[in-house]
Amino acid sequence: MDFDEVRLPERLTFGSRGGPSFNNTVVRLHGGQERRIVRWRAPLHKYNLAPVLKTSTQLDTLIEFYIGRKGPARGFRFKDWMDFTTAADSRSVPTISDVVCQPTDGTFTIFQIAKTYTFGALTFTRKINKPVVGTLVLGKNNVQVLSGFTVNYATGRITFAAAVAPSDVISCGCEFDVPVRFDDAVDILSLTIEAFNKNQTPDISLIEIRVDSTAVLDTTPGNPEVPPPTPGEVGEACERTPINTALPAVFYVTGLPGPGYQFNEGNNWFVLESNLNDLTGLDYTLTAAELVAGVTKGTGVFYNWVDKTTLLNIPGRYYEVMWRWTPRTLADNIDCKVGGIFHIFFSNASIEVPVFGGFSDNNSPWSEIHSSCQRVHNTACLEHGSGQPEISPVVKPPSQGLPGSVLMSQGIDSAKPSGGGAGGTSIVWGDPINLYFSRPKGADTRVMYASAHMLASEEMQQVTQMKGPVIGAVTPTGYGLVNATEYNLEWHVARRKINSTDDMGSVITAGALVASEPKLYRVHMRLIKQLSPFVFDCLRIQLFIKNWMGTGNDFVIFDTGDWTVLTGGGTEIITYGGGSPDTLSYHYAPSGSGNVSVWKSDWTDGI
Amino acid sequence: MDDFSEEILPHGYGYQTEHGRGYSTRMFSLDSGWTHPKARWAAPLNRYTVNYQNRSFTEMDQIRAFYYNHYGSAKGFRLKDKLDFSSAANHRGTPTMLDQTILLTGGVYRLAKTYDIAGTVVVKPIYKPILGTVLISDVGVNVTGSVTVNYETGVLTGYTPTGAYKAGFLFHTPVRFNGEQLIVSIDDHENASIESLELIELRLT
């Protein structure tokens, strides 16, 4: 069957339903006993896009894609969101040891990728025919192999230049697609637009097709049967730049009933997919909305969007870039140093768009962006909790504090913290707070006194989807990615001792901090019930900066005890990213006691 | 390929499960207008429609692996029927060694369960007792230790009873998937659902 190596745009696939389908013949005897004949050893998967299709834009995309495939005539790639990597959990980042590849013949030259599904004592093997280009990592005897082989991404076969020894264990990991075609029953012409952006969506069934592993994809340039590689993704991303024009010029901040930020239930994140491929030039310009000065870059986190657990910087992987849009900025550039697909989320947290009545309304021109990731929402990560617009006036570092404590400043008023208990500070009830910290260098027995309670409410449940564990010594390079862990926590009760056995404490005390292995943490907190003032006894580093556009001298390090600028002495500055101009993050880890906060000098608002 | 695995369907299905007891009955219509129903089965076979609502991806992974490994409907497996998994009179209680009379068929002793529904007595052989739960008595004396239980067939060997031979046990129902496809719906970034999964009880011989 003719096959186009293009993937159905993911916006049309996330949320689809489906799964494996077998073909067995059951012969039931008169007594009720059965004989069952297994006709297929390998299942064919079936999917249905009906739950996904919601907007006319999606419909347009689907129709174009359908026509491009000549209806059921040509196969294409489909991403099964439940199962698209070889990792044990089917969704994590592939590793070289995920699956063992079996030689296809006795020469030990050609190996077929296959995935194993185990349950109890049972094992089922499924051939992987459509690995995603660029995702395959290969290991021989559990050591990564980088050359000496080729991968046929159309068939899932790995060919070695020289035969490997029969005793060698060849393993690999990759992302993969399912080769499918449109079901014969799909009647694209019956798709109707019932109302504006509300479509009647009949079943759009997709059926897996078997792939001949020996088939060779004709990739001759200019061959009309072979579309250019994944043009749809890029093109669509570009098409989906209504940000340029459709976004209202004025935003308002909601949830301002006095002190304390109020979560807006309508908060949503929007996703924009884009291939960022230009490794040298500028990739993308987003306009008509604005990045929060300073904080924006500071909170721009590259997330592994797939499993939401690791912050990695691997070519071809997904990352999530979190921006916050505010009324002020008119444009920002996205420049990638590593190619890959990026999902850009737009949050309307606390932003109301009166023209459209909010993004959660499907009538918004952003709705198709919305709907493609509608469940990733409520992650309102406002750093400012005092009920002011998040574009804040100048904020100075807190001007006071007691030695031995970390002051957590939040809100717009730099004078915070106000009040506070001995050696600490109180936090305004209801405030969301971002605290950035790292563990001091070396062994540290000090603990933080506070309470961290995770996952208490719906919105925080969404937030904690973005939590990530410590990921070890990945040296960040490129644009602002730091080796850091972000934990989003919700605080309930003060004065619970956090030690290494707590969720949060385990983060704090996870491993010794060394210059080559920074451990920075960002904790997003919202105090929802304050029983007593928080007192921080030893937590020290406050800020976690990601500023890929930064230069080496952008930051000033303060002692949060007296807010004097620290230069030299007992300080230690760890620079990530290999120096300017790509230097992005700074971390102050005093060798002795003391508390510091790191600030970017030209920031106009703080954390 | 074995047509039955001893694995248990994982992650307790949802509560909206539909149970049904199915009989196969053939009606003979005579020319004179009389109909003569002929019951073909002495014991019914259960059907289930189970669902998994809003489960984590991890659980779904296991169910999917389970489905793969049973080749859809090809291979049977164990199901804990939430309404009927014990030899006790209420079908769910703690078994005692006096619960059920052991069936002697063709010279073979095997576990069985008697259902007395409105006077209609049905004896179902128990093929899949749960390991370690079988208690056996002979005239009220616990002889569990003397009997060898085949937990894959429900057959008892190694002991000749002297009188009332009874047993108590927990058991699984042997079932297979019915229908052609496993349909998983993604609810959000962490959860997925299976709206409907048909299971059909197997008659083992």
Side-chain angles (χ1 to χ4, degrees):
Chain A
M1 175 167 189
D2 290 333
F3 193 90
D4 297 332
E5 297 291 334
V6 293
R7 177 192 270 183
L8 186 64
E10 291 170 25
R11 282 183 306 98
L12 296 178
T13 60
F14 185 84
S16 59
R17 61 171 182 256
S21 170
F22 285 90
N23 185 0
N24 302 316
T25 298
V26 179
V27 179
R28 173 170 275 192
L29 309 180
H30 283 188
Q33 294 91 343
E34 291 178 350
R35 298 292 179 268
R36 294 181 296 277
I37 302 160
V38 180
R39 301 174 68 115
W40 297 346
R41 283 282 168 168
L44 290 179
H45 294 69
K46 296 181 182 176
Y47 302 95
N48 198 322
L49 303 181
V52 183
L53 298 172
K54 288 189 177 61
T55 70
S56 48
T57 320
Q58 287 177 319
L59 216 52
D60 292 343
T61 309
L62 176 71
I63 292 172
E64 287 170 19
F65 194 88
Y66 182 85
I67 294 171
R69 304 288 82 72
K70 300 177 181 173
R74 303 184 66 87
F76 56 92
R77 288 168 170 258
F78 175 86
K79 177 175 179 176
D80 182 343
W81 285 82
M82 287 294 292
D83 184 7
F84 62 90
T85 79
T86 51
D89 69 358
S90 300
R91 288 169 300 278
S92 291
V93 179
T95 66
I96 58 166
S97 56
D98 282 349
V99 293
V100 174
C101 304
Q102 299 298 335
T104 56
D105 57 22
T107 65
F108 292 92
T109 304
I110 303 174
F111 289 73
Q112 173 70 47
I113 306 172
K115 183 176 175 181
T116 303
Y117 299 80
T118 57
F119 188 95
L122 307 172
T123 301
F124 179 84
T125 302
R126 173 186 177 194
K127 202 181 284 185
I128 301 300
N129 289 119
K130 296 293 179 185
V132 175
V133 175
T135 63
L136 188 126
V137 287
L138 185 72
K140 183 199 284 186
N141 300 324
N142 228 14
V143 176
Q144 182 158 12
V145 178
L146 296 173
S147 60
F149 67 93
T150 59
V151 181
N152 187 334
Y153 286 100
T155 63
R157 288 194 163 195
I158 300 165
T159 305
F160 285 88
V164 303
S167 59
D168 285 336
V169 176
I170 303 299
S171 60
C172 76
C174 65
E175 287 186 23
F176 60 86
D177 291 325
V178 183
V180 298
R181 66 168 171 84
F182 286 103
D183 188 8
D184 304 322
V186 169
D187 181 5
I188 205 78
L189 296 177
S190 71
L191 298 175
T192 55
I193 296 178
E194 207 167 65
F196 181 62
N197 272 341
K198 299 268 193 289
N199 301 304
Q200 186 182 343
T201 53
D203 286 351
I204 305 293
S205 297
L206 310 178
I207 303 175
E208 183 177 358
I209 51 180
R210 302 239 187 259
V211 171
D212 178 4
S213 285
T214 61
V216 178
L217 177 68
D218 180 5
T219 54
T220 310
N223 182 346
E225 295 299 314
V226 181
T230 62
E233 297 287 343
V234 175
E236 273 167 20
C238 294
E239 287 168 17
R240 305 275 176 262
T241 323
I243 310 154
N244 287 327
T245 54
L247 199 67
V250 180
F251 287 161
Y252 295 97
V253 177
T254 60
L256 301 173
Y261 170 70
Q262 196 174 50
F263 271 91
N264 176 1
E265 290 300 324
N267 290 341
N268 288 299
W269 287 88
F270 302 99
V271 63
L272 180 66
E273 293 176 9
S274 173
N275 266 352
L276 302 184
N277 288 325
D278 188 345
L279 304 188
T280 55
L282 189 66
D283 290 273
Y284 212 67
T285 300
L286 300 175
T287 59
E290 122 180 322
L291 301 171
V292 180
V295 172
T296 299
K297 291 173 181 173
T299 55
V301 178
F302 290 92
Y303 251 99
N304 183 336
W305 194 66
V306 176
D307 59 18
K308 299 173 286 295
T309 55
T310 50
L311 284 157
L312 294 173
N313 193 3
I314 302 174
R317 296 294 308 169
Y318 299 98
Y319 299 100
E320 192 175 273
V321 186
M322 288 196 295
W323 259 277
R324 291 187 308 147
W325 301 90
T326 73
R328 221 167 41 181
T329 301
L330 293 179
D332 200 90
N333 299 326
I334 298 173
D335 186 9
C336 83
K337 305 287 191 296
V338 181
I341 299 172
F342 280 69
H343 296 263
I344 302 171
F345 285 80
F346 301 95
S347 171
N348 70 335
S350 85
I351 297 174
E352 185 181 66
V353 186
V355 174
F356 296 102
F359 293 144
S360 56
D361 187 337
N362 259 1
N363 290 331
S364 160
W366 286 22
S367 59
E368 76 273 6
I369 298 175
H370 169 205
S371 60
S372 66
C373 199
Q374 54 189 336
R375 293 302 187 133
V376 185
H377 59 70
N378 286 335
T379 42
C381 295
L382 283 191
E383 268 82 2
H384 305 297
S386 56
Q388 299 292 325
E390 57 180 320
I391 300 305
S392 59
V394 173
V395 177
K396 297 289 192 301
S399 58
Q400 56 182 336
L402 297 176
S405 67
V406 162
L407 300 177
M408 294 171 41
S409 75
Q410 81 283 358
I412 305 175
D413 183 357
S414 64
K416 288 177 182 171
S418 60
T425 178
S426 64
I427 299 165
V428 176
W429 196 93
D431 275 1
I433 299 159
N434 275 322
L435 174 67
Y436 303 85
F437 63 92
S438 77
R439 187 173 175 276
K441 184 177 183 179
D444 185 14
T445 59
R446 290 165 295 189
V447 295
M448 182 172 76
Y449 287 89
S451 169
H453 183 96
M454 300 180 70
L455 285 178
S457 63
E458 175 63 23
E459 61 229 29
M460 281 305 164
Q461 192 171 19
Q462 298 293 342
V463 168
T464 51
Q465 285 188 341
M466 297 187 182
K467 69 174 184 173
V470 178
I471 59 165
V474 175
T475 301
T477 57
Y479 28 80
L481 181 64
V482 296
N483 180 13
T485 301
E486 183 167 35
Y487 276 79
N488 297 285
L489 305 172
E490 186 164 7
W491 287 23
H492 271 272
V493 185
R495 283 201 171 283
R496 195 177 121 231
K497 181 179 176 182
I498 292 183
N499 56 38
S500 60
T501 63
D502 286 296
D503 286 342
M504 195 171 160
S506 65
V507 176
I508 295 171
T509 57
L513 189 73
V514 295
S516 61
E517 186 183 350
K519 283 185 168 30
L520 286 172
Y521 308 102
R522 172 176 180 263
V523 182
H524 178 87
M525 296 166 287
R526 189 164 72 102
L527 179 64
I528 65 170
K529 190 171 186 182
Q530 183 182 16
L531 296 186
S532 60
F534 285 111
V535 177
F536 290 96
D537 212 21
C538 67
L539 200 57
R540 45 179 56 194
I541 307 296
Q542 261 195 307
L543 188 51
F544 161 34
I545 299 170
K546 286 152 286 185
N547 177 12
W548 68 54
M549 308 297 274
T551 63
N553 299 314
D554 276 352
F555 302 95
V556 179
I557 301 175
F558 294 90
D559 186 322
T560 57
D562 56 10
W563 294 105
T564 55
V565 175
L566 295 171
T567 54
T571 67
E572 175 182 354
I573 297 176
I574 298 173
T575 303
Y576 306 114
S580 82
D582 284 332
T583 299
L584 10 118
S585 297
Y586 292 84
H587 165 228
Y588 171 70
S591 55
S593 64
N595 303 289
V596 299
S597 175
V598 185
W599 291 79
K600 185 172 180 296
S601 57
D602 62 352
W603 279 21
T604 54
D605 50 1
I607 55 171
Chain B
M1 182 169 66
D2 295 336
D3 65 356
F4 195 89
S5 83
E6 298 297 329
E7 302 292 344
I8 306 162
L9 184 68
H11 303 304
Y13 49 80
Y15 277 104
Q16 293 79 19
T17 299
E18 295 173 15
H19 291 255
R21 310 232 184 268
Y23 282 94
S24 171
T25 307
R26 177 170 290 175
M27 303 295 286
F28 291 95
S29 295
L30 307 181
D31 289 345
S32 60
W34 288 91
T35 56
H36 177 66
K38 176 176 173 51
R40 301 170 69 194
W41 298 350
L45 289 177
N46 292 348
R47 287 171 178 269
Y48 307 86
T49 304
V50 303
N51 63 66
Y52 292 87
Q53 292 291 348
N54 217 18
R55 303 302 184 92
S56 72
F57 280 2
T58 307
E59 289 187 16
M60 285 297 165
D61 291 342
Q62 292 176 341
I63 294 165
R64 175 188 280 240
F66 193 87
Y67 195 87
Y68 279 136
N69 275 293
H70 291 84
Y71 292 81
S73 60
K75 243 180 172 178
F77 52 89
R78 288 168 174 254
L79 170 80
K80 183 173 181 182
D81 181 340
K82 286 182 175 179
L83 293 179
D84 186 9
F85 58 83
S86 167
S87 61
N90 64 1
H91 308 302
R92 295 179 289 280
T94 306
T96 72
M97 62 182 185
L98 300 174
D99 283 345
Q100 301 287 339
T101 299
I102 291 170
L103 196 63
L104 176 60
T105 58
V108 174
Y109 289 101
R110 65 180 317 135
L111 297 176
K113 186 174 174 185
T114 302
Y115 296 81
D116 186 346
I117 307 163
T120 302
V121 175
V122 174
V123 178
K124 282 186 75 169
I126 297 298
Y127 298 102
K128 299 296 175 185
I130 298 178
L131 190 64
T133 65
V134 176
L135 304 169
I136 298 168
S137 66
D138 183 7
V139 203
V141 178
N142 190 337
V143 294
T144 306
S146 308
V147 182
T148 301
V149 181
N150 186 331
Y151 284 95
E152 297 186 4
T153 62
V155 170
L156 310 177
T157 52
Y159 182 80
T160 304
T162 59
Y165 197 29
K166 296 194 171 186
F169 44 84
L170 299 178
F171 63 95
H172 288 132
T173 305
V175 298
R176 66 166 169 85
F177 291 114
N178 198 18
E180 285 196 346
Q181 194 192 358
L182 178 71
I183 300 179
V184 180
S185 308
I186 296 180
D187 298 333
D188 58 35
H189 281 269
E190 291 190 338
N191 297 298
S193 293
I194 296 172
E195 299 297 336
S196 169
L197 196 53
E198 280 187 37
L199 308 176
I200 189 164
E201 184 179 356
L202 295 176
R203 175 145 302 154
L204 305 179
T205 50

